[in-house]
């Protein structure tokens, strides 16, 4: 009888080298076909740095750190992640100040809005006028959490833009550590380590530590909630302390992005119903369902439920209205008239791979050009996510990971039915979970499924060329 093939604990050089080559090919094709829209040299440099550093160090570190002890690995993961993020925070602060005269990114409307509201809140706290801010919030709790958090940080450390971003570096590093532990609990130690390293290195998560936006903190809360929820499902008994912490994280998330909190609670409910009995006993799952139903009924009596209902009521119009907005209101004649054809049925099949890199010069989308390499890494590791899902299906193990799958599926559906389906920023809460499945997909690679990798890269390159044609054609 043939012995089962050993699982990979690192990503082979074959995959990383082919990925870098594919990005270079996509860039050359876009440059040749759309020469009049050639990407500026600075963003070319950023794009190649993002792709090369991610894939080079992913191969190197997954192999080098695969044999160290668990304690040593956790220290290396956290410390390396922290240093990467600190360097980026300082560099981006200087970079944006030099480029734009202020330490805010391109198209920084939201970041400046959060900063301004936090300063206003700081003034109200100092003047003992907190009630004025409570009246301002009213019953609209969604999106109010980050300005409150930022105002509190300013109150403690002063009006310093750098300190909150350095805190993000710490929070993001803990996020990488929790991602490793969550992936380890679901897929084993080797896969957990790869997932942690990928989370440490993925350019998108690094990028947002240098901005005055809520994404880093929000991703940390989401990963912490799923980690704790997964522990509740897999543990032998239900503990009151775990539910208290889960409730606290859910409340915090309602103040960051209400619909995301509702998505997490729904995912917990689905996991309690459908998780395999090999993972969680029936009696415990029934108890968990009853507790969740009680929590949902209590939630329905609060204004938070009104925020969720308002989103659901408008969801059918979100995509079409946003696409019409993109089509009609781009500044300075840079309208994308083809955006009006965007719809849920168009976006949904692409959601695991999207968004796609901008490899042409779109003057009003500097951040998208800057992050072209980061977008490409998502296009590539989606292949391993597909491998993971197919493997789990064939092995009949999908029900062992219902919580992770329920969150990914429900949030993708929400994104596809919103006006931000291809907006990279709104995909960020998905990244740690996609990276977990990508790491598991890497561990399952063999000669049989390896042969599909290069055709997939060809497909991705063609999609990227088509996407860049779309961006230009709609503006011509």
């Amino acid at each position: 009888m043939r012995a089962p093939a050993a699982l990979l604990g690192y990503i082979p050089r074959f995959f990383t080298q082919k990925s870098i080559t594919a990005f270079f090919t996509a860039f050359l094709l876009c440059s040749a076909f759309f020469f009049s829209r050639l990407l500026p040299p600075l963003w070319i440099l950023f794009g190649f740095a993002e792709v090369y550093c991610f894939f080079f160090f992913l191969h190197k570190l997954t192999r080098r750190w695969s044999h160290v002890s668990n304690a040593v690995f956790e220290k290396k993961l956290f410390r390396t992640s922290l240093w990467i993020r600190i360097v980026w925070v300082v560099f981006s602060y200087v970079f944006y100040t030099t480029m734009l005269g202020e330490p805010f990114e391109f198209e920084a409307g939201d970041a400046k809005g959060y900063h301004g509201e936090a300063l206003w809140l700081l003034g109200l706290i100092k003047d003992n006028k907190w009630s004025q801010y409570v009246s301002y919030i009213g019953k609209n709790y969604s999106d109010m959490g980050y300005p409150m958090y930022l105002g509190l940080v300013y109150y403690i450390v002063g009006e310093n833009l750098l300190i909150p971003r350095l805190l993000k570096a710490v929070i993001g590093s803990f996020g990488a550590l929790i991602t490793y532990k969550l992936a380890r609990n679901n897929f084993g130690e080797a896969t957990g380590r790869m997932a942690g390293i990928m989370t440490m290195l993925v350019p998108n998560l690094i990028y947002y530590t240098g901005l005055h936006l809520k994404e880093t903190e929000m991703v940390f809360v989401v990963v912490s909630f799923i980690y704790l929820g997964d522990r509740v499902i897999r543990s032998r008994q239900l503990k009151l302390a775990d539910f208290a912490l889960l409730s606290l994280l859910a409340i915090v998330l309602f103040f960051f992005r209400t619909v995301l909190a509702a998505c997490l609670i729904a995912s917990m409910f689905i996991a309690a119903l459908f998780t395999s009995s090999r993972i969680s006993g029936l009696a415990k799952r029934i108890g968990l369902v009853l507790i969740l139903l009680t929590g949902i009924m209590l939630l329905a009596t609060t204004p938070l439920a009104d925020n969720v209902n308002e989103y659901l009521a408008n969801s059918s119009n979100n995509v079409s209205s946003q696409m019409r907005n993109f089509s009609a209101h781009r500044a300075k004649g840079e309208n994308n008239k083809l955006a009006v054809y965007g719809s849920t049925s168009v976006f949904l099949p692409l959601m695991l791979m999207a968004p796609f890199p901008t490899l042409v010069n779109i003057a009003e989308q500097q951040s998208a050009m800057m992050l072209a390499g980061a977008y490409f890494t998502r296009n590539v590791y989606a292949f391993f996510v597909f491998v993971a899902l197919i493997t789990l299906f064939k092995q009949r193990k999908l029900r062992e990971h219902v919580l992770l799958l329920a969150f990914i599926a429900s949030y993708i559906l929400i994104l596809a039915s919103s006006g931000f389906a291809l907006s990279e920023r709104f995909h960020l809460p998905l990244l740690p979970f996609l990276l977990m499945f990508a790491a598991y997909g890497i561990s399952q690679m063999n000669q049989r499924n390896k042969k599909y990798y290069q055709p997939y890269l060809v497909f991705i390159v063609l999609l990227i060329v088509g996407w860049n044609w779309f961006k230009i054609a709609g503006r011509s």
Side-chain angles (χ1 to χ4, degrees):
M1 183 175 178
R2 183 179 298 178
L7 298 181
L8 283 176
Y10 67 96
I11 182 167
R13 186 179 282 112
F14 168 82
F15 297 105
T16 57
Q17 288 182 340
K18 297 298 182 184
S19 301
I20 295 170
T21 301
F23 182 72
F24 184 67
T25 302
F27 167 73
L28 286 181
L29 289 174
C30 288
S31 299
F33 292 153
F34 317 118
F35 187 75
S36 62
R37 289 271 193 166
L38 194 65
L39 202 64
L42 180 61
W43 303 142
I44 294 174
L45 178 63
F46 266 84
F48 277 98
E50 290 155 11
V51 170
Y52 181 80
C53 289
F54 176 75
F55 287 111
F56 174 80
F57 287 107
L58 181 59
H59 165 73
K60 187 174 183 178
L61 294 181
T62 52
R63 189 152 198 169
R64 178 179 293 179
W65 292 359
S66 62
H67 303 297
V68 301
S69 69
N70 291 359
V72 170
F73 175 80
E74 290 185 16
K75 289 180 180 178
K76 285 180 175 291
L77 181 67
F78 179 80
R79 290 173 181 175
T80 307
S81 179
L82 183 60
W83 277 115
I84 290 172
R85 283 154 174 75
I86 288 175
V87 169
W88 169 250
V89 165
V90 176
F91 171 81
S92 62
Y93 188 94
V94 175
F95 174 77
Y96 285 124
T97 302
T98 303
M99 287 282 292
L100 304 173
E102 57 183 0
F104 288 99
E105 72 278 12
F106 303 97
E107 306 124 32
D110 284 352
K112 291 180 180 178
Y114 290 138
H115 175 61
E117 188 171 332
L119 291 178
W120 176 53
L121 176 58
L122 175 62
L124 293 178
I125 294 174
K126 289 181 177 179
D127 295 337
N128 198 24
K129 295 181 179 179
W130 170 255
S131 58
Q132 187 174 333
Y133 190 73
V134 174
S135 299
Y136 162 73
I137 293 176
K139 294 183 178 181
N140 184 24
Y141 298 115
S142 185
D143 211 34
M144 292 298 175
Y146 186 65
M148 293 173 63
Y149 159 77
L150 200 55
L152 180 62
V153 172
Y154 287 163
Y155 181 77
I156 296 173
V157 302
E159 301 173 19
N160 188 305
L161 289 173
L162 200 56
I163 298 300
R165 298 179 188 183
L166 292 173
L167 285 175
K168 289 175 187 288
V170 177
I171 293 169
S173 301
F174 276 114
L177 192 59
I178 294 174
T179 300
Y180 149 68
K181 292 182 177 181
L182 178 57
R184 178 193 63 191
N185 293 348
N186 277 267
F187 302 113
E189 180 66 33
T191 298
R193 292 190 180 194
M194 285 193 288
I197 293 171
M198 292 174 79
T199 306
M200 175 184 76
L201 294 175
V202 73
N204 311 71
L205 294 177
I206 297 171
Y207 170 73
Y208 280 93
T209 59
L211 307 185
H212 249 53
L213 293 171
K214 63 183 177 181
E215 269 62 31
T216 298
E217 291 83 357
M218 187 169 64
V219 169
F220 173 77
V221 175
V222 170
V223 173
S224 298
F225 182 97
I226 295 290
Y227 171 73
L228 190 58
D230 184 73
R231 192 172 73 181
V232 167
I233 290 171
R234 293 175 183 276
S235 63
R236 293 185 177 180
Q237 57 184 352
L238 302 177
K239 297 180 181 179
L240 183 60
D242 288 340
F243 281 102
L245 189 52
L246 269 176
S247 301
L248 177 62
L249 290 172
I251 291 171
V252 169
L253 201 54
F254 268 109
F255 282 86
F256 273 74
R257 187 170 292 162
T258 298
V259 69
L260 185 55
C263 179
L264 284 172
I265 293 173
S267 300
M268 278 292 296
F269 189 79
I270 293 170
L273 288 175
F274 298 108
T275 294
S276 170
S277 297
R278 294 194 300 269
I279 302 299
S280 185
L282 179 61
K284 193 186 78 173
R285 288 190 287 123
I286 292 174
L288 182 56
V289 167
L290 293 175
I291 293 172
L292 287 170
L293 284 174
T294 303
I296 291 171
M297 287 188 289
L298 289 174
L299 180 65
T301 64
T302 70
L304 294 173
D306 297 333
N307 294 167
V308 176
N309 290 333
E310 182 181 354
Y311 175 85
L312 294 175
N314 296 328
S315 61
S316 60
N317 297 321
N318 282 343
V319 174
S320 58
S321 62
Q322 189 74 356
M323 292 303 103
R324 286 194 299 270
N325 177 64
F326 286 158
S327 177
H329 298 292
R330 284 293 187 185
K332 300 179 181 178
E334 293 290 332
N335 308 351
N336 192 330
K337 299 174 183 178
L338 299 181
V340 73
Y341 298 108
S343 66
T344 302
S345 59
V346 172
F347 294 141
L348 194 57
L350 302 173
M351 293 303 289
L352 282 178
M353 297 178 287
F356 300 99
T358 297
L359 294 176
V360 291
N361 188 1
I362 307 295
E364 76 277 14
Q365 294 186 2
Q366 301 291 325
S367 294
M369 292 188 290
M370 179 181 180
L371 289 174
Y375 290 14
F376 180 77
T377 62
R378 165 74 173 268
N379 306 152
V380 171
Y381 63 70
F383 171 82
F384 300 107
V385 177
F386 290 127
V387 171
L389 295 176
I390 293 170
T391 301
L392 291 171
F393 175 77
K394 288 182 175 180
Q395 295 177 353
R396 298 183 179 181
K397 291 183 178 180
L398 288 174
R399 289 185 60 202
E400 296 180 12
H401 313 285
V402 174
L403 180 57
L404 302 182
L405 292 168
F407 173 69
I408 290 174
S410 58
Y411 191 66
I412 280 179
L413 186 60
I414 288 171
L415 275 181
S417 60
S418 75
F420 306 98
L422 297 181
S423 175
E424 176 262 350
R425 176 181 165 191
F426 287 86
H427 283 248
L428 223 63
L430 281 174
L431 259 60
F433 307 98
L434 293 179
L435 292 172
M436 292 179 210
F437 282 96
Y440 180 72
I442 293 170
S443 75
Q444 302 297 311
M445 294 307 297
N446 52 45
Q447 292 299 322
R448 186 174 63 256
N449 52 32
K450 175 184 175 181
K451 64 184 179 183
Y452 299 111
Y453 188 64
Q454 292 188 78
Y456 174 82
L457 290 180
V458 172
F459 172 67
I460 287 296
V461 169
L462 294 177
L463 270 182
I464 291 171
V465 174
W467 168 249
N468 283 271
W469 170 86
F470 169 83
K471 301 197 80 168
I472 293 174
R475 290 170 167 82
S476 298

